[in-house]
Amino acid sequence: ESLTTHYTHAAPSPHGHTTPHHTTPHYTTLHLHYVTLQVMSTLGYCLLPIVIVSVLGIVFSLTGIIGNFIGAGAVGWSTLTATRLFVMSLNMESARFLIAYPVGLLYACFVLMTIF
């Protein structure tokens, strides 16, 4: 069901026309849970390159310049993938960079915890 505005009451005008009295947004709890699960699963799915970096961090030391490049690549890959999925699912092509910025910051925090 879409997030449209539904009229709850209608008051007749003096000319006999029915006009909306007030409107309320129609957000169902089920829809909000669905959107929350969709966002969480997308962020978790796109976390895979950072998991690979953490596995590499167990075997090798990632505190040098090579580790920084590997970490930056994982952040870029994760951010690009998550942003593409969000843009497709939310139909927000014009807000691509607005979506990518907080997603990239989230993934950068995970990589910083992994490297250091």
Side-chain angles (χ1 to χ4, degrees):
E1 188 173 326
S2 65
L3 296 177
T4 58
T5 303
H6 296 282
Y7 298 115
T8 57
H9 301 289
S13 69
H15 304 292
H17 300 281
T18 304
T19 57
H21 178 30
H22 71 77
T23 60
T24 58
H26 182 67
Y27 302 109
T28 62
T29 305
L30 182 63
H31 181 76
L32 290 176
H33 286 289
Y34 172 74
V35 170
T36 303
L37 288 175
Q38 182 182 12
V39 168
M40 290 171 47
S41 65
T42 301
L43 289 175
Y45 173 74
C46 296
L47 197 66
L48 183 64
I50 297 169
V51 171
I52 293 170
V53 170
S54 68
V55 169
L56 288 174
I58 293 171
V59 179
F60 306 107
S61 174
L62 296 176
T63 56
I65 191 80
I66 304 245
N68 290 340
F69 280 119
I70 291 172
V75 168
W77 183 10
S78 295
T79 302
L80 182 66
T81 306
T83 302
R84 283 182 181 168
L85 290 173
F86 283 133
V87 165
M88 283 190 312
S89 65
L90 299 173
N91 197 18
M92 296 180 67
E93 183 66 37
S94 62
R96 176 182 296 270
F97 296 110
L98 188 63
I99 294 170
Y101 182 70
V103 170
L105 288 177
L106 175 74
Y107 288 140
C109 290
F110 279 115
V111 166
L112 286 174
M113 288 188 284
T114 300
I115 290 178
F116 300 110

